[in-house]
Amino acid sequence: MSWKTRNRSFYYQDAPEPEDLNWKPAETALLVIDVQNTYLERPDRAGLDAAGQAAYDAWTPFHRRMNEMVIPRTAAMLALARKHGIECLFARIACQTGDGRDRSLSQKMPGWNNLLLPKTEHASQLVPQLAPQGDEIIVTKTTDSALTGTNLRLILHNLGIRNVICAGIFTDQCVASTVRSLADESFQVVVLEDCCAAGTDALHEQELAIINMIYCHVMNAAELTAMLRLT
C-alpha cells in the first residue's frame, strides 16, 4: 500500500488519491523536531527498583525504534537534503532561565510533560547523530509547536520556503502540533512516518491517521526521496 492510500482516518476513507509532489529544493525545508539527549539517554536498568524497571521496559520499544530506525533514517535524510540544497532546520525544547519560569503552562503541569530543560544543559541539546552543520538554524521553544513559541514562521518566509518535511518526536505531541501550525500558515507539509516516533507505536499510528491528508501528507523516507528524485 502506497502513501496515497495508507494512514487514512475515518474522514478520508473515500477521498481521491493525492497527486505526486513536485517540490523545488529551494522552496523546501527539512525540520527535525526535539530529538534531544533527554529523550534518548537511559539509566542502568539493574540500578532501578521494580517500578523503575517496569517503566524502563515500557519505553524500550520507543528506544529501539529511535536507535534502529528514526535516527539513522533522519540522518540519511539530512545528508540528502544538504546534497540537494534543501534547507535543514532544527527545533528543540529548552527554557531560557535556570528555574524554567519562562516555560509555557503545558511544560509546568504535573506529569510526564513537566519539562525543565535549561538551554545550556546537556539534556536539552540535540543528539550528536543529528547535529546541525555550518549555519543551519536551530529554534528553541517552550511550546509544543515549533512555530507558536519561536520566529520559525518568519524564518521560513525569509528563506523562501513553501514546503516543509517534518521528522522527530513525539509524533502525537510536538510533531503534530508543529504540523498543524504549519498547515494553518499555508505551508505544504510532509511527515516522514519512519523518521518519527511516539511513546508507543499505537499512539504514533493513531496520530498519523489523524493528521494525514488534512494537515499534511504522511509517507516514508523512501517514498519521498524517490518522488523528489533525491539520490
Side-chain angles (χ1 to χ4, degrees):
M1 186 181 296
S2 80
W3 67 274
K4 296 186 178 186
T5 54
R6 201 168 61 243
N7 296 306
R8 291 200 176 202
S9 72
F10 172 83
Y11 302 107
Y12 286 89
Q13 290 299 316
D14 299 320
E17 293 187 7
E19 297 181 359
D20 286 350
L21 305 182
N22 185 24
W23 290 1
K24 298 177 182 178
E27 297 177 348
T28 303
L30 172 60
L31 175 62
V32 181
I33 301 166
D34 297 354
V35 188
Q36 297 169 245
N37 291 327
T38 188
Y39 297 120
L40 274 298
E41 294 181 345
R42 309 190 81 186
D44 179 9
R45 185 182 186 280
L48 301 173
D49 61 16
Q53 289 185 351
Y56 183 102
D57 293 343
W59 278 96
T60 292
F62 165 81
H63 286 273
R64 185 178 298 118
R65 178 182 177 88
M66 289 300 297
N67 288 303
E68 296 178 4
M69 179 188 296
V70 172
I71 291 176
R73 294 189 187 182
T74 303
M77 279 301 307
L78 285 166
L80 283 172
R82 290 162 179 151
K83 177 181 177 181
H84 289 274
I86 292 173
E87 197 79 42
C88 297
L89 301 101
F90 303 81
R92 67 174 182 133
I93 299 171
C95 51
Q96 302 293 323
T97 58
D99 63 1
R101 61 188 182 275
D102 61 309
R103 293 172 296 167
S104 63
L105 180 60
S106 64
Q107 292 181 9
K108 296 177 181 177
M109 296 288 284
W112 186 74
N113 276 327
N114 185 0
L115 296 169
L116 178 56
L117 294 171
K119 62 182 180 180
T120 59
E121 291 190 0
H122 173 76
S124 69
Q125 307 308 310
L126 301 170
V127 299
Q129 303 96 310
L130 305 181
Q133 295 183 6
D135 61 356
E136 292 172 349
I137 295 168
I138 308 171
V139 296
T140 297
K141 62 191 179 71
T142 57
T143 54
D144 275 15
S145 169
L147 269 72
T148 303
T150 74
N151 65 338
L152 180 57
R153 185 204 63 77
L154 179 60
I155 290 171
L156 293 171
H157 174 77
N158 289 346
L159 292 171
I161 300 300
R162 299 178 61 189
N163 319 304
V164 182
I165 305 161
C166 290
I169 53 178
F170 288 83
T171 313
D172 55 329
Q173 297 190 26
C174 292
V175 173
S177 293
T178 299
V179 166
R180 284 172 166 82
S181 293
L182 287 166
D184 283 346
E185 296 286 349
S186 294
F187 291 96
Q188 297 186 91
V189 185
V190 159
V191 171
L192 297 178
E193 58 188 295
D194 52 344
C195 294
C196 295
T200 69
D201 286 346
L203 287 170
H204 170 72
E205 292 162 7
Q206 179 182 18
E207 189 62 38
L208 292 178
I210 290 170
I211 61 178
N212 188 36
M213 297 194 72
I214 179 169
Y215 303 112
C216 64
H217 289 305
V218 175
M219 63 188 71
N220 62 43
E223 289 168 327
L224 179 70
T225 55
M227 188 165 27
L228 298 185
R229 298 179 177 85
L230 305 177
T231 59

